[in-house]
């Protein structure tokens, strides 16, 4: 069993997800009652259910990402801030956070940096047009080891179109336990790759202390 499989949800997150699931259950029951009505259009209901599911996935993924990162770096708030700012500006980014597996044979051609992790430094590295913005940053504990790194690209065929950054993130995650953070240059969406799978997250929620409180709102709820 992987360490990830042993991580449980906090009581606050459980309450939030249960409320969201209750909302979905009520929406589905309402659809079952009205679906036989010929004049009934249920497209809005489908959209609402999809929205709540997406919110639940992002909330859970943000929570787990915080849990996955915290044993390996104290700078996840700086990482979260950088990702949020990069996302808002649609600045593409690729950040590898080393965990247990050695990476020298998997991450190539980087330029040594050797500086503490800070959101300002990460944002400057990924500023469009800069000499290092197309490559990956390697983070080990609380230090940016190198930038402009080349990662192995996933060769697994998947549905949908994925850019080079996302395929590189997935490719590295398929062969080691590193966590790879990605910001899409096209959409600004943030995700992380783990075990060959991409999970969407909200960067502002990576520090669970800032957002996972008992009064979290449930989309589509009262």
């Amino acid at each position: 069993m992987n360490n990830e499989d042993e991580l449980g949800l906090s009581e606050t997150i459980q309450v939030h997800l249960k409320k969201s699931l209750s909302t979905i259950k009520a929406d589905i029951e309402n659809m079952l009652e009205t679906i036989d009505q010929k004049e009934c259009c249920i497209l809005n209901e489908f959209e609402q259910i999809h929205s709540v599911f997406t919110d639940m996935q992002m909330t859970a993924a943000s929570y787990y990402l915080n849990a996955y990162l915290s044993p390996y770096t104290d700078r996840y708030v700086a990482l979260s801030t950088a990702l949020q700012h990069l996302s808002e500006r649609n600045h593409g980014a690729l950040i590898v956070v080393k965990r247990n597996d050695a990476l020298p044979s998997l991450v190539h051609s980087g330029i040594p940096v050797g500086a503490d992790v800070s959101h300002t430094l990460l944002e400057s590295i990924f500023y469009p047009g800069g000499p290092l913005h197309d490559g990956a940053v390697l983070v080990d504990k609380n230090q940016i080891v190198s930038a402009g790194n080349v990662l192995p690209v996933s060769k697994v065929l998947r549905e949908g179109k994925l850019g080079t950054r996302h395929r590189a993130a997935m490719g590295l995650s398929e062969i080691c336990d590193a966590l790879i953070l990605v910001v899409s240059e096209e959409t600004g969406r943030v995700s992380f790759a783990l075990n060959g799978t991409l999970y969407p997250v909200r960067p502002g929620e990576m520090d669970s202390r800032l957002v996972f409180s008992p009064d979290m709102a449930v989309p589509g709820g009262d």
Side-chain angles (χ1 to χ4, degrees):
M1 179 182 291
N2 295 331
N3 290 336
E4 285 79 15
D5 297 328
E6 300 172 359
L7 290 174
L9 293 169
S10 71
E11 183 177 352
T12 299
I13 294 297
Q14 289 180 31
V15 169
H16 174 69
L17 295 181
K18 286 179 180 179
K19 286 181 179 179
S20 297
L21 288 169
S22 295
T23 298
I24 291 174
K25 180 182 178 182
D27 288 341
I28 291 175
E29 289 175 346
N30 182 64
M31 290 173 66
L32 287 171
E33 293 176 359
T34 59
I35 198 168
D36 290 331
Q37 301 175 16
K38 293 182 179 180
E39 71 277 7
C40 176
C41 178
I42 58 175
L43 292 179
N44 287 338
E45 284 81 358
F46 276 126
E47 185 61 30
Q48 180 172 331
I49 291 171
H50 174 73
S51 175
V52 176
F53 264 121
T54 299
D55 176 80
M56 285 195 300
Q57 180 188 26
M58 294 183 74
T59 295
S62 300
Y63 173 85
Y64 279 119
L65 177 57
N66 174 282
Y68 298 158
L69 283 175
S70 57
Y72 300 94
T73 178
D74 296 330
R75 303 302 171 87
Y76 51 82
V77 175
L79 289 168
S80 173
T81 302
L83 292 173
Q84 188 166 5
H85 292 170
L86 292 164
S87 172
E88 291 168 353
R89 300 163 188 157
N90 280 31
H91 290 180
L94 188 59
I95 303 171
V96 177
V97 181
K98 180 185 179 298
R99 297 204 293 170
N100 294 314
D101 293 346
L103 298 179
S105 64
L106 306 175
V107 177
H108 305 286
S109 307
I111 304 300
V113 176
D116 289 343
V117 173
S118 70
H119 72 88
T120 53
L121 180 53
L122 287 169
E123 290 168 42
S124 66
I125 289 173
F126 291 113
Y127 191 82
L132 301 174
H133 84 283
D134 275 334
V137 160
L138 173 59
V139 172
D140 186 357
K141 298 183 176 64
N142 298 329
Q143 282 231 323
I144 297 175
V145 177
S146 55
N149 295 285
V150 178
L151 308 184
V153 175
S154 176
K155 295 180 173 59
V156 178
L157 295 177
R158 294 179 172 85
E159 294 184 4
K161 182 181 177 182
L162 289 176
T164 302
R165 285 189 181 90
H166 292 82
R167 291 194 295 125
M170 296 174 73
L172 183 61
S173 75
E174 290 166 359
I175 55 179
C176 72
D177 72 344
L179 273 165
I180 303 96
L181 310 169
V182 192
V183 181
S184 170
E185 189 174 297
E186 294 183 357
T187 65
R189 292 174 183 167
V190 180
S191 53
F192 74 91
L194 181 67
N195 298 327
T197 301
L198 281 171
Y199 301 95
V201 296
R202 296 187 186 91
E205 293 184 4
M206 283 171 55
D207 183 358
S208 62
R209 295 168 300 176
L210 300 179
V211 70
F212 295 144
S213 58
D215 58 351
M216 289 174 66
V218 178
D222 296 331

